[in-house]
Amino acid sequence: DSVGEGSAAVGVPLLRKGRDEETSLVTGLAQLHARGVTVDWEAFFAGQGAERIDLPTYAFRRHRYWLESDGPAGAAPDHPLLTQSMHLAESGGLLFTGRLAVGTHPWLADHMVDNNVLFPGAGFVEMAIRAGDEVGCGRIDELTLETPLILTARGSAQVQLTLEPADGNGARRFSVHARTGADVTDGSWTRHATGLLTGGTGKPPAGLEQWPPRGARSVAVDGFYDDLAEGGLRYGPAFQGVRAAWRRGEEMFAEVVLPGSVGAEAGRFGVHPVLLDAALHVVALRGGGLGEVVVPFAWSGVELFASGASRVRVRVSPVDAGGVRVEIADALGVPVGLVESLVVRSLGEGLVSGVGSGVDGLFGVEWVRAEEGAAGSGVGSGSGGGVSWGELGEVLSGVGVVPDVVVLRVGSGAEVSGEGVRDVLGGVLTGIQQWLGEERLAGSRLVVVTEGAVDAGSGSGSGEGAGVV
């Protein structure tokens, strides 16, 4: 058929004098593709060893130019962790709120410490970055994690991030509080993190284009997450992002990815908490073994240069005061983020046990009222009764059946001070140790009654006080 004027046909030269044939062919196919012609790229790249790669992120600072307005319920920052924000009338600060739950954020269930679902420290970093975006503070100058945030399988956590007004240098202090439980409206608020936001430097570190790093030797990561689980850190599939690692002197390098469906939501975050947390797993490899389990504690100099990454390269190097510097780049080595200093803590046994559940991990003194009629049989439990430490052994040796309750009187009612107090307390301690050493007394209750001490009911400092030991 002839091609005349007005025809929709497209003519593209594939052979041109004085030009490389391969270049002319690829250019011609690109022109056809641009004109809407379907090109079978799979056939074109067949046998050439080509593979699909993620598009690179962009090393540009992120600025928002849309006007924000506070409705009755506050504006929606469109963020998975912080969903509402409003200006505070009296202080001039800003309040961001959100709700966390395993049901709405399934990846949280894959971050467990001591059999508790622990909100990752990287999540607090992401919250602070998002809040800083709203006020032009692109750098986390400092962030300290004070208390772990524990989540339950069915409950949720209500979160508040409060930004204080800017100081003379434009810096803003912030704090993160949360309350947890099946009904968060009844819970008490706990402060989990504090910090300072400042203006970003916009100066990214050198990239990580050379990959694997020159002069670095490979470090085996097989069984890495199994070893962490034995130490108390149990990472599910979402957080098992370390794919490869290398060592060069005191430096550690790693390749980290966001697996599965978690990677699909990377664009909604500045840096996804799962990705940043996985990037920090390299710190556990620095000791030479796969064993030391550590958790983030204090962050300094955190800045983000690109957002939405799902595959990154990480370099971890030591800095002063026992911290580490963490540099993060995308799949092409272009800088994504920087942590100038991160101080970690070893995960001691029971570090998070009881936190967030209303249980204090320390021993304390508490008044417990006995149920009426629950005393059972006793020795010295009558009105004005009781025995002294010296009489205790003699009395019990003459009793055929070990009593349910033994009342032990301490002091004579006269004022005691100085060395006398030391002697009385020393005697009580010795007596309790002896009591605990008697196996036949394991089912009995020892009631220590003091005279002239603080009244258990009024705290008036008169009368008798009794405590069950």
Side-chain angles (χ1 to χ4, degrees), residues 104-413:
T104 56
H105 304 78
W107 45 269
L108 288 172
D110 285 349
H111 191 265
M112 299 190 68
V113 179
D114 285 352
N115 296 317
N116 295 282
V117 177
L118 177 68
F119 183 68
F124 292 108
V125 172
E126 171 62 15
M127 288 182 186
I129 288 174
R130 183 65 188 88
D133 284 346
E134 292 292 308
V135 294
C137 291
R139 172 186 170 93
I140 302 177
D141 200 64
E142 61 183 58
L143 189 157
T144 302
L145 303 180
E146 298 181 349
T147 305
L149 174 52
I150 309 300
L151 301 170
T152 62
R154 296 184 179 180
S156 62
Q158 188 177 0
V159 179
Q160 289 187 356
L161 187 151
T162 306
L163 272 182
E164 297 181 6
D167 62 16
N169 298 318
R172 291 175 178 258
R173 293 223 159 258
F174 70 91
S175 60
V176 183
H177 291 73
R179 59 183 180 182
T180 61
D183 182 2
V184 295
T185 59
D186 293 336
S188 59
W189 290 96
T190 299
R191 191 172 73 179
H192 294 277
T194 59
L196 178 68
L197 295 172
T198 61
T201 65
K203 299 178 180 178
L208 297 174
E209 292 83 1
Q210 176 65 43
W211 201 258
R214 183 178 291 108
R217 55 186 178 84
S218 178
V219 175
V221 295
D222 294 340
F224 171 54
Y225 288 103
D226 292 336
D227 289 346
L228 291 182
E230 291 182 3
L233 273 174
R234 293 169 51 197
Y235 290 115
F239 281 82
Q240 296 182 15
V242 176
R243 293 293 180 265
W246 298 266
R247 183 191 303 276
R248 184 174 65 191
E250 294 187 335
E251 294 178 301
M252 291 295 301
F253 302 83
E255 188 172 298
V256 180
V257 301
L258 272 178
S261 60
V262 182
E265 62 179 16
R268 300 188 63 196
F269 295 84
V271 56
H272 201 298
V274 173
L275 186 69
L276 181 55
D277 188 274
L280 302 181
H281 298 173
V282 187
V283 178
L285 289 165
R286 292 185 64 244
L290 298 176
E292 186 181 14
V293 179
V294 293
V295 292
F297 168 61
W299 309 67
S300 301
V302 182
E303 199 161 350
L304 195 63
F305 308 107
S307 61
S310 60
R311 178 184 293 268
V312 295
R313 300 170 178 178
V314 182
R315 171 164 55 194
V316 175
S317 53
V319 294
D320 294 338
V324 294
R325 175 185 173 95
V326 182
E327 300 170 28
I328 304 174
D330 64 15
L332 296 180
V334 179
V336 168
L338 170 67
V339 181
E340 293 181 352
S341 176
L342 170 65
V343 177
V344 297
R345 279 180 170 178
S346 296
L347 180 63
E349 183 178 356
L351 176 66
V352 300
S353 297
V355 176
S357 61
V359 179
D360 193 343
L362 299 178
F363 290 108
V365 178
E366 181 179 1
W367 172 253
V368 179
R369 184 176 298 277
E371 296 181 7
E372 186 175 354
S377 62
V379 172
S381 57
S383 176
V387 296
S388 66
W389 284 120
E391 300 168 327
L392 179 61
E394 181 180 349
V395 170
L396 291 180
S397 62
V399 176
V401 179
V402 177
D404 296 328
V405 178
V406 174
V407 178
L408 179 67
R409 280 193 182 277
V410 177
S412 60

